[in-house]
């Protein structure tokens, strides 16, 4: 039966295309097999080296005690909730502080020179001080000033120290994102009669923030771990609880409990960061490789 139109010939893959696809599938299988074999070899080698080392029985006794693990878990877990609370309070404050500092550093008018100088001084000073040293300085220095209304709670002081430290790093991340936007876009926005503030709000910042999300999440992954530094001021967070249990039992397994809890929190964040970075590469046409 014909309808007056010639039927379009069905597209069939050529022999060359079929061979290429078969080769790609075979190459993929070989890659997976090689990766699996090498991983098994590395894991088995590590297990053999560790378990046959002279000190393994002692390590097993002091770090891998099931009884100490079960005994410490409730208190360390309770302390870990304080770590999460510190992180959830500090993170938005760091974002706001970092963004404000980055915007101030972008002001070009001579009138704003004092503010720019303060922003540069802030980032230089607080990026140069190790976070744990800043926790000591804020935690013990602020109460020593005996200022009216100054916070004395060690958790609050620890959060202030973390915000000051990480705010400097995040400000530089935001500034890198802002400067990555091509100047022609700002010029185009200003030619449409947008003010500097409107240009930043509607043109520059949306692109800048989207570009710096992966490095920001990396910083916050580090922040999750550094909440443990607040332990030096005395709050009963996860590390402090582990120290107490270790001191009472002369067993280091509680430290392993705290480490596993931190890993359980940071690994999903790290994988989410990788996912966002890969998606950003795909958007830019770079592929996943």
């Amino acid at each position: 039966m014909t309808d007056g139109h010639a039927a379009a010939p069905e597209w069939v893959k050529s022999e060359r295309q079929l061979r290429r696809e078969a080769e790609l599938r075979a190459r993929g299988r070989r890659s997976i097999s090689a990766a699996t074999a090498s991983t098994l070899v590395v894991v088995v080698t590590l297990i053999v080296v560790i378990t046959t080392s002279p000190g393994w029985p002692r390590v097993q006794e002091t770090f891998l005690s099931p009884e100490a693990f079960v005994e410490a878990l409730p208190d360390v877990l309770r302390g870990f909730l304080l770590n999460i609370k510190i992180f959830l309070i500090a993170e938005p404050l760091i974002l706001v502080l970092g963004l404000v500092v980055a915007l101030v550093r972008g002001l070009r008018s001579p009138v704003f020179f004092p503010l720019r100088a303060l922003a540069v001084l802030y980032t230089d000073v607080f990026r140069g001080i190790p976070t744990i040293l800043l926790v000591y300085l804020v935690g013990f220095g602020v109460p020593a000033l005996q200022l009216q209304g100054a916070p004395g709670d060690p958790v609050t002081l620890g959060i202030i120290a973390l915000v000051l430290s990480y705010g400097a790093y995040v400000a530089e991340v935001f500034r890198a994102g802002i400067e990555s936007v091509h100047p022609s876009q700002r010029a185009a926005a200003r030619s449409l009669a947008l003010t500097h503030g409107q240009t930043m709000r509607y043109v520059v910042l949306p692109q800048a923030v989207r570009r710096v999300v992966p490095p920001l999440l990396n910083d916050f992954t580090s922040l999750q771990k550094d909440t443990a530094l607040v332990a030096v001021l005395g709050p009963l967070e996860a590390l402090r609880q582990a120290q107490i249990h270790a001191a009472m039992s002369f067993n280091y397994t509680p430290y392993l409990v705290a480490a596993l809890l931190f890993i359980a929190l940071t690994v999903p964040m790290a994988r989410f960061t990788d996912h966002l970075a890969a998606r950003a590469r795909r958007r830019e046409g770079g592929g996943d490789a």
Side-chain angles (χ1 to χ4, degrees), residues 274-286:
D274 292 342
H275 166 72
L276 290 180
R279 192 175 67 175
R281 285 197 300 271
R282 286 195 295 270
R283 282 180 175 177
E284 295 173 358

Side-chain angles (χ1 to χ4, degrees), residues 18-46:
L18 292 174
R19 285 199 303 272
R20 183 184 298 127
E21 291 179 355
E23 176 63 23
L24 288 175
R25 286 195 297 271
R27 190 181 302 172
R29 287 194 295 269
R30 287 197 298 270
S31 297
I32 294 173
S33 300
T36 304
S38 62
T39 302
L40 287 176
V41 169
V42 170
V43 170
V44 170
T45 303
L46 286 175

